[in-house]
C-alpha cells in the first residue's frame, strides 16, 4: 500500500486506509453482488458513490482474487455507439496485455468490428478500442457479452452515471438491449449508479421499462459525523495538526455533510499544516478554494438567463428553499411569477446548478454557493 502525501483524497481511491466509514453500505453492496443481485445505487453527485463502489470492489477482490472488478463512468457518452466503445475498451483492456494468446481468444468472439491496440499516453499500458459501423452496434455489444460469459471468470461491473442512457436518442432501445444481455449472464454482477434520481427512477421504477424492478435499490447519504471526525482527527495527527470536535463540526455543518466538499476542506487544511484548526484557518481555506474556482463560476454563471441567474442567487442566499413558489420567497428576492420560476428551476436542476433534496432546493456546488452570496 502506498503512503500518500495527503491522506484526504479528493479524487480516486487508494485503499480502505484512506476511506472513511460506510462499513454497513460496503457489506450490503458486496453481499448483494456476491449473491447474484444487481444493484441500483443512487445519491447526489460527490456524496461518495464511486468511493463506495471501489471500496466494495477492493473487498470483493481480497475475498475472491480470481474475480475481475471493472468500473466505467458513462457520463460523457451520448449514444449507444459511444457506450459500446467505452464498454469494450474497459472489458478488453482489463487484461493489460496484447499477447498472441489473448488476441486469439478475443478475436474468436469479436468479429463484427476492428480492434485497435495502442499505448496509454500517460502510463504506457496497453489499451484496446473498437472500430465499428453503427449498423453493427447490436452485434458488437452481443459479442462483448459473449466474451464475458464464456471467459469462465466472475465479473463485477459498475456502470457509473447510468442515467446517461436516458439522454440517448435511442434510450429505450439501449435499455432493452442491455437488459436482454444482462439477464442471461450469471457470471456478471452489475452496479448501476446514478446521481439524477428522477432519471434513475424512470429507468428502474417505471413499468414498461426493461429494467423495471430488476435490481436491489441502495441510497447513500451523508457520512456519520462522529465517525468522520475520528477519521479526520486521526489523519490530521499524522501531520501534527490538532483538529477539535468543534472545528470539525463547523466544517461538516458548513457543507451539510456533503463528502467531497468536506474532503476538499480537509485536504487544504492538511496542506496548510496549521498547529490547530481554528475558525481563521477554516475561513482561509474556504477563501482559497473559492478564489481558485472563481473564473469557472463566472463563466458558468453568465451562460444562464437573467431569470435563472436571479433564482440561483436567491437559492444561494437562502441556502435551502423548501417552497420555490412561496410568496415570501418570491417577494423577498423580487422574482417573477410561478411559471417563470418553474421554467428556471427546471433548467437549473437539469444543468446541475441546483439539486432538490428532501429538505428543499439547494445549490449543487457548495463552493459556488459561497461565491454566489458575495455577488452584489
Amino acid at each position: 500500500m502506498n503512503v500518500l502525501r495527503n491522506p484526504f483524497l479528493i479524487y480516486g481511491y487508494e485503499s480502505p486506509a484512506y476511506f472513511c466509514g460506510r462499513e454497513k453500505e460496503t457489506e450490503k453492496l458486496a453481499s448483494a453482488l456476491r449473491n447474484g443481485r444487481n444493484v441500483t445505487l443512487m445519491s447526489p453527485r460527490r456524496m461518495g458513490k464511486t468511493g463506495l463502489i471501489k471500496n466494495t470492489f477492493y473487498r470483493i477482490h481480497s475475498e475472491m482474487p480470481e474475480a475481475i472488478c471493472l468500473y466505467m463512468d458513462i457520463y460523457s457518452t451520448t449514444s449507444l455507439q459511444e457506450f459500446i466503445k467505452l464498454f469494450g475498451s474497459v472489458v478488453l483492456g482489463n487484461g493489460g496485455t496484447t499477447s498472441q494468446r489473448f488476441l486469439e481468444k478475443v478475436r474468436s468472439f469479436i468479429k463484427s468490428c476492428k480492434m485497435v491496440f495502442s499505448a496509454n499516453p500517460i502510463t504506457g499500458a496497453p489499451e484496446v478500442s473498437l472500430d465499428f459501423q453503427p449498423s453493427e452496434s447490436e452485434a458488437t455489444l452481443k459479442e462483448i457479452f459473449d466474451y464475458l460469459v464464456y471467459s469462465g471468470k466472475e465479473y463485477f461491473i459498475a456502470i457509473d452515471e447510468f442515467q446517461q442512457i436516458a439522454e440517448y436518442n435511442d434510450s429505450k432501445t439501449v435499455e432493452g438491449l442491455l437488459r436482454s444481455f444482462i439477464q442471461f449472464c450469471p457470471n456478471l454482477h452489475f452496479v448501476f449508479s446514478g446521481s439524477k434520481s428522477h432519471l434513475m427512477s424512470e429507468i428502474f421504477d417505471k413499468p414498461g421499462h426493461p429494467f423495471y424492478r430488476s435490481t436491489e435499490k441502495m441510497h447513500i447519504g451523508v457520512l456519520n459525523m462522529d465517525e468522520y471526525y475520528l477519521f479526520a482527527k486521526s489523519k490530521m495527527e499524522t501531520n501534527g495538526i490538532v483538529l477539535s470536535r468543534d472545528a470539525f463540526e463547523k466544517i461538516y455543518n458548513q457543507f451539510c455533510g456533503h463528502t467531497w466538499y468536506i474532503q476538499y476542506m480537509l485536504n487544504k487544511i492538511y496542506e496548510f499544516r496549521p498547529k490547530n484548526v481554528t475558525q481563521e484557518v477554516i475561513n482561509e481555506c474556504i477563501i482559497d478554494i473559492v478564489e481558485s474556482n472563481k473564473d469557472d463560476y463566472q463563466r458558468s454563471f453568465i451562460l444562464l438567463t437573467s431569470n435563472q441567474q436571479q433564482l440561483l442567487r436567491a437559492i444561494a442566499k437562502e441556502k435551502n428553499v423548501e417552497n420555490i413558489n412561496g410568496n415570501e420567497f418570491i417577494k423577498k428576492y423580487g422574482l417573477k411569477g410561478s411559471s417563470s420560476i418553474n421554467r428556471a428551476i427546471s433548467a437549473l436542476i437539469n444543468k446541475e446548478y441546483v439539486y432538490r433534496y428532501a429538505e428543499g432546493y439547494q445549490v449543487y456546488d457548495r463552493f459556488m454557493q459561497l461565491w454566489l452570496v458575495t455577488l452584489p
Side-chain angles (χ1 to χ4, degrees):
M1 181 184 71
N2 295 326
V3 177
L4 303 183
R5 182 180 296 275
N6 193 314
F8 298 103
L9 298 178
I10 300 174
Y11 304 105
Y13 175 86
E14 180 63 27
S15 74
Y18 299 98
F19 183 79
C20 176
R22 302 213 187 275
E23 176 61 31
K24 290 182 179 178
E25 294 98 324
T26 298
E27 183 50 40
K28 181 179 179 180
L29 181 55
S31 180
L33 295 172
R34 286 192 300 254
N35 286 280
R37 301 191 303 276
N38 294 332
V39 176
T40 299
L41 179 65
M42 291 186 285
S43 81
R45 290 180 67 192
R46 297 178 168 179
M47 193 63 77
K49 292 188 305 299
T50 301
L52 174 61
I53 290 168
K54 294 190 174 182
N55 194 57
T56 301
F57 281 0
Y58 188 101
R59 177 170 300 185
I60 288 174
H61 187 66
S62 67
E63 297 170 352
M64 307 166 62
E66 298 302 316
I68 297 177
C69 298
L70 304 176
Y71 170 87
M72 58 185 284
D73 185 338
I74 66 169
Y75 186 75
S76 62
T77 64
T78 60
S79 66
L80 174 61
Q81 290 73 40
E82 291 182 5
F83 175 92
I84 294 171
K85 287 182 179 181
L86 179 58
F87 187 43
S89 67
V90 169
V91 169
L92 302 179
N94 171 69
T97 178
T98 56
S99 67
Q100 190 62 36
R101 182 179 178 184
F102 170 76
L103 294 178
E104 289 175 357
K105 182 178 180 180
V106 171
R107 283 173 178 150
S108 67
F109 289 94
I110 311 298
K111 299 177 180 179
S112 65
C113 64
K114 179 181 178 182
M115 292 187 296
V116 180
F117 294 87
S118 60
N120 183 290
I122 298 176
T123 66
E127 292 185 335
V128 184
S129 59
L130 303 180
D131 183 12
F132 60 91
Q133 296 298 317
S135 60
E136 296 293 333
S137 296
E138 185 173 344
T140 301
L141 185 60
K142 182 180 184 302
E143 289 167 357
I144 296 172
F145 274 100
D146 286 343
Y147 168 78
L148 289 169
V149 171
Y150 292 103
S151 68
K153 298 177 181 178
E154 195 158 11
Y155 283 85
F156 296 84
I157 303 172
I159 305 179
D160 206 354
E161 301 299 347
F162 189 72
Q163 77 277 338
Q164 188 63 25
I165 67 170
E167 307 284 359
Y168 298 171
N169 290 332
D170 49 356
S171 60
K172 275 291 189 72
T173 300
V174 177
E175 288 180 41
L177 279 176
L178 288 174
R179 175 65 176 147
S180 66
F181 294 136
I182 289 171
Q183 65 181 334
F184 296 113
C185 301
N187 63 317
L188 308 185
H189 314 286
F190 286 87
V191 180
F192 306 103
S193 66
S195 56
K196 293 186 177 181
S197 58
H198 63 293
L199 292 179
M200 291 293 282
S201 294
E202 179 91 3
I203 294 170
F204 292 98
D205 297 338
K206 191 171 182 179
H209 281 254
F211 280 98
Y212 175 62
R213 292 188 176 176
S214 63
T215 64
E216 183 169 306
K217 302 291 178 56
M218 276 188 68
H219 296 261
I220 64 170
V222 300
L223 281 168
N224 175 273
M225 185 164 63
D226 293 331
E227 191 171 22
Y228 205 169
Y229 168 61
L230 292 176
F231 171 85
K233 177 176 179 289
S234 173
K235 297 301 182 187
M236 287 292 180
E237 286 175 349
T238 65
N239 207 20
I241 302 170
V242 176
L243 176 64
S244 69
R245 166 68 189 230
D246 181 63
F248 180 80
E249 190 169 337
K250 288 177 180 177
I251 297 169
Y252 186 94
N253 291 334
Q254 172 73 62
F255 299 100
C256 304
H258 207 127
T259 310
W260 187 85
Y261 300 96
I262 298 171
Q263 281 288 109
Y264 203 154
M265 284 292 295
L266 296 174
N267 182 284
K268 274 288 183 182
I269 292 169
Y270 193 88
E271 176 190 0
F272 286 178
R273 301 191 178 186
K275 290 183 178 180
N276 292 282
V277 181
T278 62
Q279 185 64 56
E280 184 180 359
V281 170
I282 294 172
N283 293 342
E284 184 181 353
C285 288
I286 289 175
I287 291 170
D288 185 75
I289 293 169
V290 172
E291 187 66 25
S292 67
N293 289 284
K294 183 173 68 175
D295 289 345
D296 290 336
Y297 297 150
Q298 290 175 334
R299 281 191 292 268
S300 298
F301 188 69
I302 61 175
L303 294 176
L304 300 176
T305 67
S306 58
N307 285 343
Q308 291 166 9
Q309 289 178 354
Q310 188 179 14
L311 181 59
L312 183 62
R313 289 170 61 189
I315 294 172
K317 290 178 180 179
E318 289 294 303
K319 293 187 178 180
N320 181 73
V321 179
E322 293 183 29
N323 184 3
I324 203 73
N325 287 303
N327 288 330
E328 184 178 344
F329 175 65
I330 292 174
K331 289 179 180 179
K332 182 176 181 179
Y333 294 99
L335 303 174
K336 295 182 179 180
S338 294
S339 60
S340 177
I341 291 174
N342 290 337
R343 287 194 300 272
I345 195 63
S346 178
L348 291 172
I349 290 173
N350 188 55
K351 295 174 182 178
E352 297 190 327
Y353 286 91
V354 171
Y355 191 88
R356 186 175 186 176
Y357 295 88
E359 57 269 31
Y361 297 90
Q362 298 175 18
V363 175
Y364 214 148
D365 188 321
R366 306 292 178 170
F367 291 119
M368 186 179 192
Q369 183 264 331
L370 294 172
W371 173 77
L372 285 166
V373 299
T374 67
L375 299 181

